[in-house]
Structures are given as structure tokens and as C-alpha cells.
Amino acid sequence: MSTQSTPGYNGLAYASSDGGSTYPKLLELTDVTLSVDTDELDGRSHDSAGAYDPVAGSQKWTADATVLSVDADAGQAALIAAVTGKSTLKFHFDPAGTSSGKPRRAGDGIITSWQEAQPNTALRTTKIKIAGKGALVFSTQ
């Protein structure tokens, strides 16, 4: 069986400045590592003869990503504002490009970690960690 391998996710982050009516693009993300984890609940009972019987519990998603920007780029200032303002952002992760009919993962999240590479020249690489708020939705663009 042939498969298509995708080397990594590209993503977009959107932020609303009007309370949620519109969401203009805030950041372009590269080298995204997306993780979904499900807690295991112990569902053992008499029916399982006391043997461990895992049941799916709460689920959370996280992402690690790189943001590439230029100091003069408005995206860098918007990223700092999102981090310091503890803003909830909307994220789209498109593992196979942005063409219609391709897979998409989407959800709301906050930036929980921000790392800037030194030295700070005109081109800046920033690594961020994202914690999802609510479900990560798997869909088609």
C-alpha cells in the first residue's frame, strides 16, 4: 500500500481584536509538531476479572512550532502582544498544504512558551509552545 509522507505541519495563527467577529492572520508557523494525548481511566470491573481495562478520558492537544519573522514585520509585535496579553488565538494546522480538499486540524489555544534565538539580527527565529483550549478539530479544508 502506498502512502504519502508529510515532513511537517505548517500552520497559521489568527487573533481577534474586535471580540471575536473577525480573525485576521497573525502568524505563519513552520516546523510544527502537533500532539494529541488522551488520559486513561481505569475501567476494570467484575466483567474484566479485575484486569486493567483502560477507558478513554480527557483529551488535550499541544503544539511546538517555529515562527520566522523580520523585526520590522507586524507579526513579531503581534506575537509579543499575544504572549504578554495571554491571548487565546485560533490555530489552523495544514499538514498537506493549503489547497482545497486537504486535511486540516484547527483549534483555539494559548502560547505557553516563547523562545527567541540570539543574536537578534533582522531575521528572527522564535520557538513557541501552544496549549490547546478545547477540542482539536480534524476536518478537510
Side-chain angles (χ1 to χ4, degrees):
M1 174 170 67
S2 64
T3 61
Q4 293 181 354
S5 175
T6 304
Y9 289 89
N10 288 327
L12 297 171
Y14 301 85
S16 178
S17 59
D18 62 6
S21 296
T22 60
Y23 283 87
K25 184 170 68 170
L26 172 71
L27 302 169
E28 290 188 28
L29 311 173
T30 61
D31 298 326
V32 177
T33 300
L34 187 59
S35 300
V36 178
D37 297 303
T38 303
D39 293 334
E40 295 176 39
L41 304 175
D42 187 353
R44 77 181 92 194
S45 66
H46 292 291
D47 291 339
S48 68
Y52 183 66
D53 186 12
V55 176
S58 298
Q59 200 170 55
K60 68 177 179 178
W61 66 270
T62 58
D64 294 325
T66 301
V67 180
L68 188 63
S69 61
V70 178
D71 281 338
D73 188 359
Q76 186 64 29
L79 171 60
I80 299 299
V83 170
T84 58
K86 302 176 187 173
S87 303
T88 297
L89 306 175
K90 290 194 173 294
F91 293 93
H92 288 173
F93 304 103
D94 300 325
T98 56
S99 300
S100 178
K102 300 289 185 179
R104 167 168 284 167
R105 287 76 167 114
D108 293 346
I110 58 171
I111 297 172
T112 59
S113 177
W114 175 87
Q115 284 183 319
E116 186 176 81
Q118 300 290 337
N120 292 331
T121 58
L123 187 60
R124 183 184 311 244
T125 302
T126 306
K127 293 187 182 292
I128 62 173
K129 291 184 184 286
I130 302 160
K133 293 180 75 169
L136 184 67
V137 178
F138 290 73
S139 65
T140 302
Q141 300 178 49

